[in-house]
Amino acid sequence: MPHTWDPDRYLTFADERGRPFVELLARVGAAAPVDVVDLGCGPGNLTARLAQRWPGARVRGVDSSPEMVATARATVSGPVFEVGDLRDWVAGRGSVDVLVSNATLQWVPGHLDLLPSLVQCVRPGGWLAFQVPGNFDEPSHTIRRDLAAEAPYDAHTAGVAVPSSHDPATYLEVLAGAGCAVDAWETTYLHVLSGDDPVFTWVSGTGARPTLEALPDDLRPAFEQEFKRRLRAAYPPGPLGVVLPFRRVFVVGQVAA
């Protein structure tokens, strides 16, 4: 079921969403790459960091969302941005020196099977680095899933895109089998959020967006109201604000020279 992305909503927590990208990039040891690609570049604010890290490289950003690419083109100078499906890019492109994918592969069903193809897109001695959320058993996701399965919403939400990922050990095994030296780890961030219903604001820009867009206009307000109520109960405000634990999985592989 198709859905669209809202760059402005996504960028509401730009600093929190960007921190994993910075920590992923810190483990990439490329010195002077020529071709660098960001698969799933979103609004391009993080792709700009690739151009800053390697100013002599040709940096490209690819995203399946025309809205995200339009924002990237309008706000980020240097990298070249294009609309494209990650799976089509793998099938039709040549080799690169650094291939980065941040918080994207979780939206690709069966992405474990895609990883060897991504490795083949990287030149010998080059780097593949990706990060995916690993929090899909947390209330921010389970509440949406359970509510979407209730009537009358279930008639509209069946078959919507749902993100998923694997543990670091699984990714390590797959990339090592594809000939990479692998560094895989996980981190749980404790994001301290403020504002009205901040967890809803967070998830409505990412994991919950396909579900919300699938609902007709006459049902969406009631769904959102109940969703917010359950999220407030699961993430009550404290002295510092609302704390959102967020586990992320990181994988960096260097292709054998």
Side-chain angles (χ1 to χ4, degrees):
M1 186 176 298
H3 59 275
T4 62
W5 296 105
D6 182 342
D8 292 334
R9 174 59 65 93
Y10 182 83
L11 288 168
T12 301
F13 298 105
D15 183 63
E16 290 86 352
R17 297 192 197 280
R19 181 177 169 186
F21 183 91
V22 173
E23 296 181 7
L24 176 72
L25 197 60
R27 298 297 296 171
V28 176
V34 176
D35 291 294
V36 177
V37 173
D38 183 4
L39 289 180
C41 63
N45 58 310
L46 298 178
T47 314
R49 290 181 176 270
L50 299 176
Q52 293 166 1
R53 168 79 180 272
W54 296 296
R58 293 187 292 267
V59 178
R60 289 175 285 161
V62 181
D63 201 281
S64 62
S65 167
E67 296 84 5
M68 289 290 199
V69 170
T71 295
R73 288 171 173 168
T75 59
V76 179
S77 60
V80 175
F81 296 98
E82 60 186 272
V83 177
D85 185 276
L86 184 152
R87 290 157 292 194
D88 295 336
W89 186 91
V90 168
R93 300 302 175 107
S95 296
V96 299
D97 298 297
V98 177
L99 186 57
V100 178
S101 186
N102 184 64
T104 297
L105 289 175
Q106 74 273 9
W107 291 107
V108 180
H111 64 261
L112 277 183
D113 296 333
L114 184 67
L115 292 181
S117 297
L118 290 177
V119 172
Q120 292 175 6
C121 291
V122 179
R123 294 186 180 114
W127 300 78
L128 168 64
F130 64 89
Q131 176 271 129
V132 289
N135 65 333
F136 301 119
D137 291 329
E138 293 294 320
S140 56
H141 285 274
T142 60
I143 290 172
R144 175 206 52 77
R145 182 186 66 208
D146 294 344
L147 181 58
E150 297 177 7
Y153 311 120
D154 57 341
H156 304 280
T157 59
V160 298
V162 176
S164 65
S165 64
H166 303 274
D167 289 336
T170 300
Y171 291 120
L172 185 151
E173 181 180 357
V174 172
L175 285 193
C180 295
V182 185
D183 182 7
W185 72 98
E186 63 181 71
T187 296
T188 297
Y189 299 91
L190 297 179
H191 297 301
V192 181
L193 310 179
S194 60
D196 296 332
D197 296 304
V199 178
F200 174 80
T201 300
W202 182 295
V203 300
S204 65
T206 51
R209 187 166 180 83
T211 298
L212 296 173
E213 285 209 336
L215 294 168
D217 293 341
D218 60 329
L219 289 180
R220 189 179 304 111
F223 182 96
E224 290 186 353
Q225 182 178 4
E226 178 61 15
F227 192 14
K228 290 177 182 179
R229 186 191 70 79
R230 297 186 190 186
L231 287 173
R232 286 195 296 268
Y235 301 96
L240 299 177
V242 174
V243 177
L244 174 66
F246 202 121
R247 173 177 174 258
R248 292 185 182 270
V249 176
F250 301 78
V251 186
V252 175
Q254 184 176 22
V255 179

